[in-house]
């Protein structure tokens, strides 16, 4: 969950290890009078979702979730109460519950590990001066291996970005959600080219289209790039880098 200051709304992304429930994004508002979050989302095949979370007190909340199809037929209707408990780390067995990941996840799972990155931001609209940085990328499997979490840290060890990646078997596409201080859940999707060992992900926004490529030079080296252009061809961001596996 996050707050999008530009759009003045809350945003929520749902990921599960089973793959049986539609995954998607919900946008929500907060009602201070009733202490309630209300979320709405559009899911595949014309399905809409509505959620609410009402905080009874600091340690108790009640929530509901409903799915409806395009005809108004109720596909799911759930409600429950939740009580705060001490944070516990799930066991390995618990984290592996759910269906096995699709075979296409093997491509992403080869990224699991720690990588040292050398990055170059070329001169562009948002970067008027070329800069070079070094970052650390830590990639871990989550939710039974159906997703990978990619965390980026600067040279001081400060977290500066996170990506969630997966293969969507229903849509037959790789998908990525990126989160960083200047953005709130930018989604991109794309395909793998076996001939060039390259994954290409594209986000087609209303004004700007961003394309990221990750080329696996070998099992321990990834050459990558990210370029953002508007419809007139103006380059807003042009970054390229090299990731080398550390362990």
């Amino acid at each position: 969950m996050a707050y999008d200051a530009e759009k003045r709304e809350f945003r929520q992304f749902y990921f599960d290890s089973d793959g049986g429930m539609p995954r998607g994004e919900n946008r929500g508002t907060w009602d201070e009078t009733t202490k309630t979050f209300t979320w709405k989302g559009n899911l595949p095949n014309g399905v809409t979702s509505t959620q609410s979370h009402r905080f009874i007190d600091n340690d108790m909340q009640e929530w509901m979730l409903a799915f409806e199809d395009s005809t108004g037929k109720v596909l799911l209707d759930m409600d429950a109460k939740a009580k705060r408990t001490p944070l516990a780390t799930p066991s390995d067995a618990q984290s592996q519950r759910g269906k096995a990941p699709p075979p296409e996840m093997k491509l992403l799972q080869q990224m699991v590990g720690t990588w040292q990155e050398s990055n170059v931001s070329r001169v562009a609209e948002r970067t008027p001066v070329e800069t070079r940085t070094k970052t650390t990328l830590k990639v871990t499997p989550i939710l039974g291996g159906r997703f990978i979490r990619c965390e980026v840290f600067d040279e001081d060890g400060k977290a500066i970005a996170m990506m969630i990646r997966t293969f969507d078997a229903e849509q037959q596409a790789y998908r990525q959600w990126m989160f960083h201080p200047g953005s709130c859940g930018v989604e991109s999707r794309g395909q793998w080219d076996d001939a060039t060992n390259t994954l290409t992900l594209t986000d087609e926004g209303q004004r700007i289209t961003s394309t990221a490529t990750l080329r696996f030079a070998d099992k321990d080296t990834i050459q990558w790039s990210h370029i953002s252009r508007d419809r007139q061809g103006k380059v807003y961001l042009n970054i390229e880098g090299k990731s080398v596996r550390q362990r």
Side-chain angles (χ1 to χ4, degrees), residues 68-89:
E68 292 185 359
D69 66 14
S70 58
T71 68
K73 181 180 179 180
V74 177
L75 305 177
L76 182 70
D77 188 1
M78 301 172 59
D79 60 77
K81 285 188 177 181
K83 182 179 180 180
R84 190 191 303 272
T85 59
L87 182 64
T89 302

Side-chain angles (χ1 to χ4, degrees), residues 3 6 18 22 44 53 60 72 79 92 123 142 147 150 166 192 223 231 235-236:
Y3 182 71
E6 182 178 341
D18 185 71
H53 292 79
M60 184 76 71
D79 60 77
D92 290 340
V123 174
I142 59 174
F147 298 84
C150 310
T166 190
W192 168 256
Q223 300 278 358
R231 298 189 184 280
V235 177
Y236 282 76

Side-chain angles (χ1 to χ4, degrees), residues 34-210:
T34 61
K35 307 295 184 185
T36 302
F37 275 117
T38 301
W39 306 89
K40 293 186 180 296
N42 295 314
L43 304 174
N45 303 317
V47 175
T48 59
S49 68
T50 302
Q51 301 178 56
S52 67
H53 292 79
R54 186 176 74 87
F55 290 79
I56 300 171
D57 55 39
N58 287 339
D59 297 316
M60 184 76 71
Q61 62 169 291
E62 57 184 13
W63 60 267
M64 63 76 63
L65 170 64
F67 288 171
E68 292 185 359
D69 66 14
S70 58
T71 68
K73 181 180 179 180
V74 177
L75 305 177
L76 182 70
D77 188 1
M78 301 172 59
D79 60 77
K81 285 188 177 181
K83 182 179 180 180
R84 190 191 303 272
T85 59
L87 182 64
T89 302
S91 66
D92 290 340
Q94 289 174 319
S95 67
Q96 295 300 317
R97 290 177 181 172
K99 297 179 182 178
E104 290 85 354
M105 278 301 298
K106 291 180 180 179
L107 165 67
L108 297 181
Q109 289 167 351
Q110 68 179 317
M111 296 184 66
V112 170
T114 301
W115 304 72
Q116 185 65 47
E117 299 187 308
S118 301
N119 318 301
V120 182
S121 295
R122 303 297 184 187
V123 174
E125 187 72 14
R126 294 177 179 170
T127 51
V129 178
E130 181 173 296
T131 58
R132 296 175 181 268
T133 59
K134 291 187 179 296
T135 52
T136 299
L137 173 68
K138 294 184 178 180
V139 182
T140 54
I142 59 174
L143 296 172
R146 290 191 69 92
F147 298 84
I148 60 170
R149 178 176 60 210
C150 310
E151 299 173 280
V152 183
F153 301 86
D154 66 14
E155 293 184 85
D156 296 324
K158 178 183 177 182
I160 57 174
M162 182 180 72
M163 290 84 73
I164 302 293
R165 292 173 178 156
T166 190
F167 181 79
D168 190 322
E170 182 177 332
Q171 299 186 22
Q172 287 294 297
Y174 288 93
R175 299 177 69 182
Q176 172 183 274
W177 294 263
M178 174 177 280
F179 306 87
H180 59 77
S183 162
C184 185
V186 175
E187 180 184 354
S188 55
R189 61 187 67 203
Q191 299 294 329
W192 168 256
D193 184 340
D194 200 46
T196 60
N197 288 331
T198 301
L199 176 64
T200 301
L201 297 164
T202 302
D203 161 38
E204 294 188 3
Q206 293 183 345
R207 293 179 51 252
I208 296 175
T209 296
S210 298

Side-chain angles (χ1 to χ4, degrees), residues 6-20:
E6 182 178 341
K7 296 183 178 179
R8 300 180 64 82
E9 63 185 4
F10 292 91
R11 298 177 69 183
Q12 177 191 70
F13 300 83
Y14 178 82
F15 307 93
D16 67 45
S17 61
D18 185 71

